[in-house]
Amino acid sequence: MSRHRDVRSLNYSDECDGYDDVYGHSVEDDYSISPSVEQFMFDRSRQSEMSAFIKDKDGIAEEDEDAEEGHEQSLSPQTRPRLNELDEARLQSCLDEIRNVIGESTPERLLIDTIVKNGFDLHRSLDAVLNSTAGKASKTAAAEPREKDLKIKQTLFCSMLMLGSVLDWQVLPSKPDLGIDAVPLMTSTPEPVKVAKAKTLNITKGFEVTPKSGQKDGSLRVEPMETSPRSQSPLSDVAAEKEAALAKHRELRGEAAVARYNEERSGIKPLLHMVVIGHVDAGKSTLMGHLLYDLGQVNQRTMHKYEQESKKLGKQSFMYAWILDETGEERTRGITMDIGQSRFETPTKSVLILDAPGHKDFIPNMISGATQADAAVLVVDAGRGEFESGFESGGQTREHALLVRSLGVSQLVVVVNKLDTVSWDQTRFLEIANKLGAFLRQAGYRDTDVSFVPCSGLSGENLTKSPTEDALLKWYHGPCLVEAIDKFKIPERPISKSFRLSINDIFKGTGTGFCVSGRVECGSIQVGDKVLVQPQGEQAFVKGLTLEEMPCQVAFAGDQVTVTLSGIDMQNVCLGYILCDPLHPIPATSRIEARIVLFNLQFPITQGFPVFFHSQSLVEQAVVTKLISQLNRGSGEVIKRHPRCLPKNTSAVVEITLNRPVGLELYRDVKELGRFMLRSSGVTIAAGLVNKV
């Protein structure tokens, strides 16, 4: 390790001696350098002095010397006249006063000469200085662009308007265009200014200051400018569009809405909402699925697919039911759980099918579908013991029939299904018709509005064509199911009333915003309208409408429409909420007075009885807070005031308090939104009509 240096005890000052002796040399100058490189390296010792480049030493004058000489000349006593102490004081006093007026813009030499020439008179000196300054300013202003002159004139005119008067301008004959020379300048003897009498001017937005050749005395005139559409701001265009949309919305009301409905729907088959009800396993979905297949609403390929998939699950008889039961859980369990929708056409109508669930656990969904219906198809099972289990106490046939009648459905077709299982026995058909007919008359149906049709949903007998079975042809000569449906009457739509739509589904669309679907109960809606969401009380904007899976611009009462909303959070909208006209909103209340009809109860209703309030798709907890009176079920007369309890099969007027506000209409105003149902312990106990909100 002897070749290494001992860096710990090294004296660095001794090591660096000799390297910094010559200024401008680096440490590496001791080493040899190539001559080609050396010629480009800097060496201070080889540089010439700057004085070698200067031939004439007296040729360059020092800048500071000239400046000092000029300064001495400006301050020399030759520029200022020799004055005594009194005149010097008067001169300084005049200088101070003039400086206060005109500032530092004028040279001091010019000011001193002017003051001395005028004999130290302040006023004459000031006038002389101002005249000389104004002359220079006029020459400069005459060379400026014409736009600056116009701005000066407009500024002067606005100042005169603020003073409340208009001054007469002294216009030179040679310059009728109101140039800058037309403005009177200050002279040594200023002339008095003539102020005209104040005039009241009607000032219009957007004016131009342009004198005409025929003006008298050169007076300034104000003329309104024509406003072109291009000069309008974008905000005014938006406001105009909103005003036009609002005016269009106002026009689409009353008789105008009815006229537009007749114009747009002329030549189109009217829409009928038909709900399919009945006891569980009565064959509702199979019946409607086979009907749709026979009418050509389902293609052969899809039907073959359903057939193969149902065979794998061992449920081949359910292949027609899968047309309406689309969810996997419904197909696995073999029951309908939610409202299934589909469409078909008869010779005179377009029918929207609402396939309601028959199981008692899904009665709220059935109520939601029944509230949208104009007519109903009641399906019963003709098998031995099957009809009795559905019709007797605890079955859904009786309850469904009461529900749809309480919800305003008065037209009914009773389909005696699976009659092929009893060999098309006429006796069995008449037995079922007699039992159901008596019950339906008691429930409020009229005989003319009820018809009975025998058929088979699995085999398709008597669905779309006249029967071909000999056993059935022997005793039945009535219409097939499609012909019976075609005889339904279309109820009158309340198009002229204020807009109301009950929300029965909410989902996220493909674009911005979200979608709600429901039936337009009354009035009309169009794209661009503003709607109010009750009982939330928030406004939303209608971005789009979809009717029968096709975009449209307007929808009327009775249409099942999908509305795309914006301007409101999706979390603030729930099932059962009402879209309404902001100018005529639906009342939002948590306490109502209603007339109710009680069904077959297990326990009588007393004050404080808890119930579930069902209106459209809304389900809300409520309490019967007051029993006002008990009525005669037939005549409606008051039997007893303030009863202690209400037994089964009675009618009464009660007060109901809900946990949260809901949107409800009086029955006399809007029947569809004035009906409700009361349920308790999984059973429908009453139906009611809203009398007061």
Side-chain angles (χ1 to χ4, degrees), residues 4 206 250 282 306 419 473 479 486 577 591 612 681-682:
H4 296 286
R250 293 194 188 102
Y306 291 161
L419 197 60
L473 287 173
D486 193 45
Y577 280 11
R591 187 172 61 178
F612 284 94
S681 303

Side-chain angles (χ1 to χ4, degrees), residues 111-187:
L111 295 180
I112 293 174
D113 294 342
T114 305
I115 294 172
V116 173
K117 288 180 181 179
N118 290 279
F120 305 100
D121 190 343
L122 174 62
H123 296 288
R124 287 190 297 170
S125 301
L126 181 60
D127 291 340
V129 172
L130 290 177
N131 289 334
S132 62
T133 306
K136 295 180 181 180
S138 61
K139 295 179 181 179
T140 305
E144 292 182 351
R146 185 65 179 174
E147 289 92 6
K148 188 173 181 180
D149 298 346
L150 183 59
K151 291 182 180 179
I152 295 175
K153 290 184 289 185
Q154 291 179 351
T155 305
L156 292 174
F157 181 70
C158 293
S159 302
M160 290 184 290
L161 288 180
M162 295 176 62
L163 293 174
S165 63
V166 179
L167 300 178
D168 292 335
W169 291 54
Q170 300 296 331
V171 184
L172 296 178
S174 60
K175 294 184 180 181
D177 55 349
L178 290 181
I180 193 64
D181 294 340
V183 182
L185 301 175
M186 182 181 295
T187 59

Side-chain angles (χ1 to χ4, degrees), residues 391-408:
F391 182 71
E392 299 298 333
S393 180
Q396 301 306 310
T397 302
R398 184 189 296 266
E399 183 176 3
H400 282 197
L402 286 174
L403 284 175
V404 295
R405 184 65 189 93
S406 301
L407 293 173

Side-chain angles (χ1 to χ4, degrees), residues 22 40 78 81 112 150 154 188 197 237 268 332 357 367 408 474 541 570 595 598 625 658 665 670:
V22 182
F40 298 106
Q78 297 177 359
I112 293 174
L150 183 59
Q154 291 179 351
S188 59
K197 187 179 180 180
D237 295 341
I268 301 177
T332 302
I367 295 175
K474 291 181 180 179
F541 183 75
M570 185 176 179
R595 176 179 177 177
L598 302 179
T625 54
L658 297 96
E665 288 276 11
V670 181

Side-chain angles (χ1 to χ4, degrees), residues 88 107 113 167 171 216 237 300 332 375 382 415-417 535 544 547 550 592 600 632 665 687:
E88 185 70 28
D113 294 342
L167 300 178
V171 184
K216 296 182 179 180
D237 295 341
Q300 182 68 31
T332 302
V415 176
V416 183
N417 193 24
L547 183 62
M550 294 295 293
I592 61 171
N600 193 6
N632 187 335
E665 288 276 11

Side-chain angles (χ1 to χ4, degrees), residues 20 160 196 234 247 406 414 500 554 558-559 585 587 612 654 677:
D20 53 355
M160 290 184 290
S406 301
V414 180
R500 301 287 187 269
V554 62
D559 293 340
F612 284 94
V654 298
M677 309 296 293

